[in-house]
Amino acid sequence: MTDLSYFAAGGLSSVGTPTLWAVTIVGVLALLVLDFLVTRRPHEVSIREALGWSAFYIALPLAFGGWVWWRFGSQQGVEYLTGYLVEKSLSVDNLFVFMLLLAAFAVPAVLAQRVLLYGIAGALVLRAVFIALGAAALQTLDFAFLIFAVILIATAVKLLRDALTGHEQEVDINKMRSVRLLRRFMPVVEEYHGTRMTIRQHGRRALTPFALVVVAVLATDIVFAVDSVPAVYGITEDPYLVFATNAFALLGLRALYFVLHAALSRLVHLSYGLAIILAFIGVKLGLHWAHGIWPGVPEIPTLASLGVIIGVLVVVTLTSLRATRDREPGDAEVVVDKH
């Protein structure tokens, strides 16, 4: 049996043999442990350090994509690269939300990368769960692609509505359910105590703001997992490639945050672009579902999807930079309500 004929649990065709899955998971865990070791001593991240790690975490998935192309063929190679581009684009939106949360909780610069790392670790776990659920749904439900299509189109509509109203730029930590729930059960101190999540105060255990921001970041991971996993399943049905694209897109977020921190506030049209991309993939999934019932219904090739996604990202980046050309670096139109 060749790699190309291997069937994952549930019967989905996949290039991921048990050995390849094991090696990949061990590799991802090793990289995650490495990131935790790098951030064990809180410090402000220099642009040189951030650029070095970002270059590494971009070169690694691209090299892996080249190996996939060489080992399994152009179809799998294009699917992987397209899925990676989609996930990387969505991860930039993750970063913008993380930036708002770090500002809302007034996270000290020396602690920012450890907060991001907790968010990345949580996102990896959640994506793995949603990928497994997605694979099970595709195998057992004939209309799973239609469900994914509806999720993506609904998300695209919400992104567009939020972008038009500016809602995505507002963070009120006192309205966040996760924060309110924690405060209901435990007292919270006002000041940070390094990376400690709890301290003993007046004879009882209390949470630090660091714990609150970590929980808030993990809560947002759930929302992004609901969006991103169906999106990449719209590119490839291979659970292994879905996992690989998600893992590689997430692992480099810690360093990429510090590289793009100033530029993030200038990507004012990113939400419009992501809305278009998610709606496009939703339509692609809907056509794929319909093609299985009525063979005459056309499908959108993966290579064409890659072209559309690249085109949209280029356009929204250029229009964003043009719209914010008079803005000072680092200026952000962010509304933070702490009261």
Side-chain angles (χ1 to χ4, degrees):
M1 178 181 294
T2 65
D3 288 334
L4 286 175
S5 64
Y6 177 74
F7 283 83
L12 289 177
S13 180
S14 173
V15 301
T17 63
T19 300
L20 187 56
W21 270 104
V23 170
T24 303
I25 291 173
V26 169
V28 169
L29 291 176
L31 289 171
L32 197 58
V33 170
L34 176 63
D35 269 354
F36 270 102
L37 291 175
V38 169
T39 61
R40 71 188 184 279
R41 294 181 180 177
H43 65 280
E44 291 192 43
V45 179
S46 67
I47 189 64
R48 181 177 180 179
E49 178 185 353
L51 285 172
W53 281 107
S54 293
F56 170 75
Y57 276 118
I58 290 175
L60 183 62
L62 291 180
F64 181 81
W67 177 80
V68 169
W69 193 304
W70 169 79
R71 179 65 182 84
F72 302 110
S74 59
Q75 177 66 28
Q76 283 70 27
V78 171
E79 287 181 1
Y80 167 81
L81 291 173
T82 305
Y84 173 72
L85 182 60
V86 168
E87 291 303 308
K88 203 65 178 177
S89 304
L90 291 172
S91 71
V92 173
D93 200 35
N94 275 55
L95 287 182
F96 187 74
V97 174
F98 289 165
M99 182 178 72
L100 297 182
L101 288 172
L102 291 176
F105 284 93
V107 177
V110 296
L111 301 179
Q113 61 176 337
R114 180 50 69 98
V115 173
L116 293 170
L117 195 52
Y118 277 116
I120 292 168
L124 281 169
V125 173
L126 287 169
R127 299 292 172 87
V129 172
F130 277 85
I131 288 168
L133 292 175
L138 291 177
Q139 179 59 26
T140 58
L141 299 175
D142 295 335
F143 52 89
F145 281 114
L146 185 59
I147 294 175
F148 288 176
V150 171
I151 291 173
L152 293 179
I153 293 173
T155 302
V157 171
K158 182 181 183 301
L159 272 176
L160 183 60
R161 185 177 66 246
D162 289 347
L164 292 172
T165 61
H167 176 71
E168 84 282 5
Q169 295 178 334
E170 298 180 4
V171 172
D172 184 350
I173 60 179
N174 290 316
K175 291 182 179 179
M176 298 184 69
R177 291 181 184 141
S178 58
V179 173
R180 285 158 52 191
L181 183 63
L182 285 175
R183 283 176 170 167
R184 182 178 301 177
F185 291 100
M186 290 185 70
V188 180
V189 298
E190 294 293 329
E191 63 280 353
Y192 284 85
H193 292 264
T195 58
R196 295 177 63 183
M197 294 193 182
T198 65
I199 63 168
R200 185 166 292 279
Q201 186 180 66
H202 305 306
R204 62 179 303 190
R205 186 65 62 180
L207 295 172
T208 66
F210 186 83
L212 294 186
V213 67
V214 167
V215 171
V217 167
L218 293 176
T220 63
D221 284 339
I222 299 175
V223 177
F224 283 110
V226 173
D227 300 338
S228 66
V229 172
V232 73
Y233 267 122
I235 303 300
T236 176
E237 299 175 39
D238 187 328
Y240 174 77
L241 293 181
V242 171
F243 175 78
T245 55
N246 272 269
F248 280 125
L250 288 169
L251 282 172
L253 285 189
R254 176 184 62 84
L256 188 62
Y257 173 85
F258 297 99
V259 173
L260 297 181
H261 185 270
L264 283 172
S265 62
R266 296 193 60 187
L267 297 178
V268 293
H269 296 160
L270 178 62
S271 292
Y272 297 101
L274 293 179
I276 294 171
I277 290 172
L278 291 178
F280 172 78
I281 298 175
V283 171
K284 183 178 186 295
L285 281 170
L287 290 175
H288 180 72
W289 169 79
H291 180 80
I293 301 175
W294 304 287
V297 175
E299 292 191 90
I300 300 175
T302 303
L303 192 58
S305 300
L306 178 60
V308 169
I309 292 165
I310 292 176
V312 169
L313 291 175
V314 169
V315 169
V316 298
T317 299
L318 293 177
T319 58
S320 293
L321 295 177
R322 179 177 176 80
T324 59
R325 60 186 181 277
D326 297 326
R327 181 180 298 180
E328 291 296 325
D331 287 351
E333 297 177 1
V334 178
V335 177
V336 179
D337 186 354
K338 294 185 181 182
H339 304 290

